Amino acid sequence: MVTRGFTGRPKGAEPTNRIPPGQHLVDYFPVLSAGPTPRIEPENWRFTLKVGPRPIKTWSWDEFNALPMTKMVRDIHCVTTWSMLDTQWEGVLVDDILADAFIEPPTGFTLAHSFDGYSTNVPTADLTTGKAMVALKYAGKPLERDHGGPARLLVPHLYFWKSAKWVNGLQFTERDEAGFWELRGYHIYGDPWREQRYTSD
Amino acid sequence: MSDNDGSAADLGWQNARIIRIEPRTATIKSFFFQLPVPLRHRAGQHVDVRLTAPDGYTAMRSYSIASAPDGTDIIELAIERIETGEVSPFFDDVAAVGDDIELRGPLGGHFVWRPADAGPLLLIGAGSGLVPLLAMLRQRRDVDSDTPAALLLASRTWSDVLYADELLVESERPHGMQLRFALSRQAPQRPQDYGRRIDAAMLAEVIGLLPAAPAAVFICGSNGFVNTAADAVLAAGVHATAVRTERYGG
Ligand SMILES: Cc1cc2nc3c(=O)[nH]c(=O)nc-3n(C[C@H](O)[C@H](O)[C@H](O)COP(=O)(O)OP(=O)(O)OC[C@H]3O[C@@H](n4cnc5c(N)ncnc54)[C@H](O)[C@@H]3O)c2cc1C
């Protein structure tokens, strides 16, 4: 339905083939989160890999920073309709985390967990083969608390709530178990190109 | 899954008709929409609004529902004009009574309050961040809840205070909530109010108006405001798990 009197913002030379349906570009980095912004000091930071309830390996901040670092330039898309192009990230690929624990992806599904109790589910195949990382830097600088620092998951091809802020572990699960927002009406997978915003989309 | 949204059937797009527009402040207007399919929302939830241009271009934004869940087919949104924005100036300048606007909802399953939830309830808002908190206060009034509640509302000046009259009435009735205004660019209008930005000392005082520590805290506004308020609430000894935030993106 055309809205009477609405023409939209004059469009510049936007590369529209990179902007999923219903999204618009922003030139700043908005902040959205469900609770207070946690303050996590490096000495208290831990990252744990689990298979089901069983911990496989835990890294301290220094140990984690000693893992191979990878840079990624990606477009990101938030379910609240903003998108940013060419965002610059640096961190540890999920592949390299698994390699450091000497394991192959053990199950088809993963829950990412965060210091604030947040969780989100992602199929394991969407995290491996270079698709996702635990990011420690944004635009060349340590990741700010507001954006999930010291470390957040980055799964850039899914809506950005899947890129859990303040991440402190990955847990491999047998079944696809809904995370925090997925239990609260948001889509179980969250592909921006298929506009999978809410459960019923 | 008790936190889940309404049924999938609630989430389809519908053409809602604007039946009334009411200016609230210099930059905020209330829009009353009549819905073909009434929403069964919970206080604090929002809708997504979708505008479509003749060339098919669409813009979608979220707006909190200001009205209480009241079983009617009318909802109220309060939309603040953001000068450089795409959607909010459309509502301020163009949208008129009789227009049909596409929206869907109710959305959001976290920033919600139910009358049965444990109290006391502490609400902290800035500017249009009052909107979802107002839905909670309106429902609290409608169901005659005696859950102790307090609202701390930050605004620039007295004329920027959204729903000032309704809030004052609500605070003065029996079982009404405690009410404090914090004005950042004007002296306080009432002796109990504040003429400064929100800080930890202010939060400690407002929490002190409640008979016990708050069991649920809802904070809504810009990200900077939410961070300041949340840090102040934590400094006052409230546990982080009791604090829910809604950031309007900026
Ligand atoms: C869950 C939810 C509920 C909401 N409820 C309400 C509500 O009840 N009432 C209400 O008025 N709004 C509400 N909002 C905000 C609303 O969705 C829109 O974001 C707002 O109306 C602005 O939209 P716009 O199209 O006018 O501006 P946009 O076209 O989105 O642009 C905003 C402009 O502001 C600038 N900008 C904004 N923030 C920043 C920043 N931090 N740094 C730099 N530039 C910035 C941008 O550059 C841009 O030009 C809510 C948002 C959410 C997520």
Side-chain angles (χ1 to χ4, degrees):
Chain A
M1 182 193 79
V2 172
T3 313
R4 184 192 67 80
F6 179 71
T7 51
R9 181 178 280 146
K11 282 157 226 41
E14 293 179 356
T16 45
N17 60 339
R18 288 168 65 183
I19 306 171
Q23 297 293 114
H24 68 286
L25 285 186
V26 295
D27 52 7
Y28 63 103
F29 198 161
V31 177
L32 297 149
S33 37
T37 305
R39 199 179 290 276
I40 306 148
E41 304 302 333
E43 58 268 28
N44 299 324
W45 190 90
R46 293 285 179 283
F47 188 89
T48 303
L49 208 58
K50 286 184 181 177
V51 178
R54 190 164 48 94
I56 301 292
K57 182 162 180 157
T58 296
W59 291 262
S60 69
W61 180 248
D62 289 342
E63 289 162 351
F64 200 83
N65 276 269
L67 297 178
M69 292 292 155
T70 300
K71 291 183 181 176
M72 257 190 201
V73 179
R74 291 289 186 280
D75 302 343
I76 58 176
H77 311 291
C78 176
V79 70
T80 63
T81 75
W82 58 264
S83 292
M84 287 173 84
L85 303 183
D86 298 323
T87 57
Q88 302 169 11
W89 302 88
E90 192 173 343
V92 184
L93 288 178
V94 173
D95 301 308
D96 289 325
I97 299 172
L98 292 173
D100 196 58
F102 291 108
I103 59 167
E104 293 288 326
T107 67
F109 301 97
T110 306
L111 267 176
H113 294 280
S114 298
F115 278 87
D116 60 339
Y118 183 86
S119 61
T120 188
N121 56 309
V122 185
T124 305
D126 287 88
L127 295 177
T128 52
T129 60
K131 290 199 189 77
M133 64 162 50
V134 171
L136 309 176
K137 286 187 176 174
Y138 173 74
K141 298 203 191 76
L143 190 57
E144 288 173 25
R145 281 171 66 216
D146 262 354
H147 294 303
R152 83 180 294 164
L153 189 65
L154 177 70
V155 195
H157 64 288
L158 299 180
Y159 279 128
F160 214 45
W161 87 79
K162 295 286 184 181
S163 293
K165 294 180 178 182
W166 312 298
V167 70
N168 68 356
L170 294 178
Q171 177 183 23
F172 294 95
T173 58
E174 293 295 335
R175 293 179 303 115
D176 198 6
E177 294 180 26
F180 182 91
W181 284 120
E182 294 82 7
L183 282 172
R184 290 163 177 77
Y186 286 80
H187 197 274
I188 194 81
Y189 182 64
D191 180 353
W193 293 97
R194 287 183 278 167
E195 266 207 282
Q196 295 172 333
R197 298 177 194 276
Y198 304 108
T199 307
S200 55
D201 286 343
Chain B
M1 302 264 300
S2 63
D3 250 333
N4 211 332
D5 273 350
S7 68
D10 284 340
L11 289 184
W13 291 102
Q14 49 176 319
N15 293 328
R17 177 148 304 172
I18 301 178
I19 55 167
R20 189 152 68 93
I21 300 176
E22 227 169 88
R24 297 287 183 193
T25 70
T27 56
I28 302 178
K29 285 179 184 164
S30 276
F31 296 82
F32 294 82
F33 293 88
Q34 181 139 28
L35 308 172
V37 184
L39 302 184
R40 284 162 295 146
H41 71 283
R42 300 204 304 263
Q45 287 189 295
H46 64 270
V47 293
D48 277 359
V49 167
R50 179 166 75 183
L51 308 183
T52 304
D55 65 358
Y57 170 81
T58 61
M60 197 154 63
R61 298 290 186 277
S62 301
Y63 293 99
S64 305
I65 303 169
S67 34
D70 53 11
T72 70
D73 60 352
I74 294 168
I75 60 165
E76 175 183 358
L77 307 180
I79 300 180
E80 175 170 15
R81 179 191 181 94
I82 306 291
E83 208 45 61
T84 54
E86 179 170 40
V87 170
S88 61
F90 164 84
F91 275 99
D92 195 27
D93 295 337
V94 182
V97 168
D99 284 351
D100 282 338
I101 301 286
E102 274 186 300
L103 56 78
R104 70 167 171 172
L107 300 166
H110 181 61
F111 199 82
V112 292
W113 179 75
R114 295 181 199 76
D117 289 351
L121 176 65
L122 174 60
L123 309 176
I124 308 169
S128 55
L130 171 66
V131 177
L133 312 178
L134 183 69
M136 298 175 192
L137 289 168
R138 285 173 163 177
Q139 186 177 25
R140 183 178 168 281
R141 174 196 62 204
D142 291 352
V143 304
D144 207 14
S145 157
D146 56 8
T147 300
L151 169 69
L152 175 59
L153 179 61
S155 307
R156 279 189 205 90
T157 68
W158 181 247
S159 63
D160 295 312
V161 175
L162 197 51
Y163 300 99
D165 294 342
E166 181 174 343
L167 293 175
L168 287 168
V169 167
E170 179 56 17
S171 73
E172 280 154 19
R173 72 170 178 90
H175 294 310
M177 83 296 194
Q178 297 287 340
L179 175 64
R180 292 293 182 270
F181 296 108
L183 303 182
S184 59
R185 301 207 191 145
Q186 196 184 355
Q189 303 292 293
R190 309 182 304 165
Q192 64 268 48
D193 289 332
Y194 303 97
R196 62 180 204 264
R197 288 175 189 283
I198 269 186
D199 56 35
M202 189 187 300
L203 250 306
E205 275 181 32
V206 173
I207 289 172
L209 300 171
L210 294 166
V217 183
F218 292 88
I219 308 176
C220 185
S222 69
N223 179 57
F225 172 81
V226 169
N227 275 342
T228 305
D231 286 348
V233 168
L234 299 185
V238 177
H239 199 268
T241 52
V243 182
R244 300 178 197 205
T245 63
E246 185 96 284
R247 300 158 201 254
Y248 278 180

